[in-house]
Amino acid sequence: MKSKASSPAKVILFGEHFVVYGVKAILCAINKRITVTAETIQENKISIKSNIGNLELEPNKEISEINSPLRPFYYLANKLIKNQNTGIQVYVESDIPLGVGLGSSSACCVAGAAAISRLFKRTSKEEILKLAIEAERTIFENTSGADCTVCTYGGIMEYDKKKGFNKIKYEPNFHLVIANSEIEHSTKSIVDSVKQFKEKNEDEFSELCKKESKLVEDVSELLKENNIIELGNKITENQEYLEVLGISNEKLRKMIQIGQSKSFGAKITGAGGGGCIFALTNESNLEQTMNEFKNKNYDCFSVKIDFKGLDTF
Ligand code: MEV
């Protein structure tokens, strides 16, 4: 038995970090994908092959003993083969750069949950999302769930930790230019550093949360109007709040300056500390923005919104 699923990567347009503390965020899925193929095998083992390494173990190991970025796959496989009298083989193929804030680990959890669970039963998107968030919690306990949600449903959405997601129906016509700092980061440790900032600066943090909430409300209106210039200004404003949280650095600031010089606005996306930034463009400035990054030797590419979300085969 074989089952296959693919999930898009994502960009957080507004509200990363603040979303962990209950502020609404705005995210979109992008047209870069991870594909997971799962297959039942006779041997009593869980085997995972991917371009970031392989993992092969017997079932029923303590999850905390598995020191590998492939831990969520092991968790899913081990949970889902219980009482099935089978082993499992999982292959992961990705055209998403890994570990750079574009949701590769969430896309792995979503596509992995879909491919593995559908070997045994026709699971719904809701069930797959629940499994994916559980799996993501094995590497990053405090996840807001935002990334897995957008990877599952695709498109552009508002996400609130308590109330869940609300798809934005308008289809904005923008291109995002993504530039990679090539500085590796750990989402967990950057989220922990923001927690420390919050604990030391409760009043300032609560003020920032209020500002971010207002900004996200304004953005929802601007998206309806497709007001790309104002959206760009909001991106720049959001970046200022992220700077205060201390998740930026010299290289990211340089990249944001490059992005802001040619596009409508640029900011960090995802946890920060490294990873990627994005610049908002349309046909009028897409090429110039790309060239500006390339001329300065930054790895960059352009993406559009993915409206499909999780796909199963
Ligand atoms: C990471 O892509 C986004 C964060 O807001 C963490 C989260 O939402 O779980 C930094």
Side-chain angles (χ1 to χ4, degrees), residues 4 8 16 28 37-38 45 52 66 90 105 109 129 142-143 156 163 216 225 231 238 241 251 267 289-290 297 305:
K4 205 168 175 174
E16 52 273 270
C28 70
T37 308
K45 65 176 187 187
I52 54 160
I66 298 165
V90 177
S105 83
C109 291
L129 174 59
N142 269 338
T143 176
I156 174 163
K163 297 192 198 121
V216 169
E225 298 162 13
L231 278 171
N238 198 155
Y241 303 155
K251 186 164 188 187
K267 69 178 265 296
T289 309
M290 291 279 286
N297 293 323
I305 299 179

Side-chain angles (χ1 to χ4, degrees), residues 10 12 15-17 19-20 101 140 142-147 187 191 270-271:
K10 66 93 213 326
I12 300 191
E16 52 273 270
H17 289 291
V19 67
V20 175
F140 169 36
N142 269 338
T143 176
S144 67
D147 294 5
T187 301
V191 169

Side-chain angles (χ1 to χ4, degrees), residues 56-69:
E56 191 170 299
L57 288 171
E58 289 156 20
N60 299 324
K61 292 256 174 229
E62 271 299 321
I63 206 72
S64 56
E65 281 171 20
I66 298 165
N67 192 13
S68 157

Side-chain angles (χ1 to χ4, degrees), residues 200-217:
K200 281 199 198 118
N201 309 278
E202 286 291 353
D203 291 347
E204 192 179 3
F205 190 78
S206 131
E207 206 43 50
L208 279 172
C209 285
K210 279 189 203 145
K211 287 184 179 164
E212 184 73 29
S213 291
K214 166 85 176 69
L215 183 145
V216 169
E217 288 311 322

